[in-house]
């Protein structure tokens, strides 16, 4: 259990990163985070399963990217470090892989600096930044010192886009990030959805989530990435529980029990092939 906090950490207000840590079985959270998670679980008893399946999707996606030649990773909205993390998976396959983690929670920063250690051949960095300000992330000096944006990058937007409301223009944020990536980069994203829930359950869950939270259907999620220079990897937009299901532990849960969709896409440019 977290027993101290910096002056910038308000322990009386639940934070998504710390609540996610609790749902994953972590200890770096406060009572407000745990109570928020319990409220969600009272409405959706499979909330913990959703968090675990989303995390497993991240693991499979990073292995996919590293196996397809990606040696640089930009993980935005990383959350409190939970092993294995992006750099651990990537560097098992490619020890020289370089990773930049981004989050806007100062508690995450504290733990990241202590725990996100790289292999000697690679590099792992952390920057404090907000997804709603992609320009600041892309222009950060630490990012420039770690990643070469002229070479393919694996961009991870896992379980973070549902905290970007429509009036914050998530499409503009996504476009700014993808515009900065060269051909052969790979984008991985997941997004909370209520589309498989009964209407009354979805309404009850909406009441206990932050005002910032914006669930989106699979179709709405897909629209955020509807660009001519992106090619979705099969099976396209799909429940994270069913993404490359043959590589996951068996049996697979029903999509009705996992309120999250995922996608993987390749970046293509003129005169390049998928």
């Amino acid at each position: 259990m977290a027993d101290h906090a910096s002056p910038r950490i308000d322990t009386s207000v639940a934070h998504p990163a710390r609540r996610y840590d609790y749902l994953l079985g972590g200890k770096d959270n406060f009572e407000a985070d745990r109570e928020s998670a319990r409220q969600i679980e009272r409405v959706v008893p499979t909330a913990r399963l959703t968090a675990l399946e989303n995390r497993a999707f991240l693991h499979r996606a990073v292995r996919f990217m590293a196996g397809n030649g990606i040696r640089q990773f930009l993980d935005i909205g990383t959350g409190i470090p939970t092993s294995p993390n992006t750099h651990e998976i990537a560097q098992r396959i490619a020890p020289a892989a370089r990773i930049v983690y981004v989050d806007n929670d100062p508690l995450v920063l504290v733990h990241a600096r202590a725990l996100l250690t790289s292999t000697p051949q690679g590099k792992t960095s952390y920057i404090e930044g907000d997804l709603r300000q992609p320009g600041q992330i892309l222009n950060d000096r630490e990012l420039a010192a770690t990643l070469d944006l002229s070479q393919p990058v694996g961009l991870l937007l896992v379980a973070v886009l549902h905290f970007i409301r429509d009036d914050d223009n998530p499409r503009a944020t996504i476009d700014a990030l993808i515009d900065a990536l060269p051909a052969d980069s790979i984008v991985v994203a997941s997004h909370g959805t209520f589309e498989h829930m009964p209407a009354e359950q979805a309404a009850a869950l909406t009441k206990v989530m932050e005002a910032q939270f914006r669930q989106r259907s699979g179709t709405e999620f897909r629209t955020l990435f509807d660009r001519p220079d992106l090619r979705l990897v099969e099976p396209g937009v799909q429940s994270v529980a069913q993404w490359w299901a043959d590589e996951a532990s068996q049996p697979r849960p029903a999509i009705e029990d996992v309120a999250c969709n995922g996608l993987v896409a390749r970046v293509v440019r003129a005169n390049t092939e998928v």
Side-chain angles (χ1 to χ4, degrees), residues 43-252:
V43 177
V44 182
T46 58
R48 191 177 298 266
L49 174 64
T50 295
L52 292 168
E53 285 294 328
N54 180 72
R55 192 72 184 175
F57 166 72
L58 166 69
H59 294 168
R60 297 195 297 275
V62 173
R63 287 195 294 269
F64 172 82
M65 290 190 286
N68 279 268
I70 297 296
R71 298 295 180 262
Q72 305 185 105
F73 298 82
L74 177 57
D75 187 340
I76 302 178
T78 179
I80 293 170
T82 302
S83 185
N85 221 314
T86 298
H87 74 287
E88 293 172 296
I89 296 170
Q91 290 178 346
R92 286 172 189 167
I93 298 171
R98 303 167 74 85
I99 296 90
V100 172
Y101 291 104
V102 183
D103 204 281
N104 66 352
D105 185 347
L107 181 64
V108 174
L109 174 60
V110 170
H111 288 279
R113 286 176 171 165
L115 299 174
L116 301 184
T117 56
S118 174
T119 59
Q121 305 96 313
K123 184 174 181 179
T124 300
S125 300
Y126 176 88
I127 60 178
E128 188 172 350
D130 193 310
L131 177 58
R132 290 165 293 187
Q133 299 174 319
Q136 290 188 13
I137 294 172
L138 293 167
N139 293 319
D140 189 276
R141 287 183 295 178
E142 189 66 28
L143 184 145
T146 307
L147 305 182
D148 177 0
L149 295 184
S150 71
Q151 299 299 315
V153 174
L155 172 65
L156 292 124
L157 300 171
V158 175
V160 65
L161 288 169
H162 43 235
F163 295 110
I164 308 298
R165 299 178 308 198
D166 293 343
D167 56 3
D168 284 325
N169 201 346
R171 178 58 188 265
T173 292
I174 292 168
D175 284 346
L177 292 168
I178 295 176
D179 285 346
L181 303 179
D184 300 322
S185 294
I186 297 178
V187 179
V188 170
S190 66
H191 198 298
T193 183
F194 300 168
E195 63 189 322
H196 302 300
M197 296 180 187
E200 61 274 16
Q201 186 180 38
L205 184 55
T206 299
K207 290 181 179 180
V208 300
M209 296 300 294
E210 298 91 344
Q212 185 71 25
F213 188 88
R214 167 65 161 92
Q215 74 87 25
R216 293 181 176 92
S217 68
T219 299
E220 291 174 304
F221 179 37
R222 171 68 181 85
T223 298
L224 294 177
F225 293 87
D226 186 14
R227 294 171 51 113
D229 57 355
L230 278 184
R231 300 289 184 272
L232 291 186
V233 175
E234 291 296 330
V237 174
Q238 178 63 270
S239 167
V240 293
Q242 296 302 315
W243 244 102
W244 300 318
D246 57 337
E247 297 181 17
S249 60
Q250 303 296 326
R252 293 280 73 217

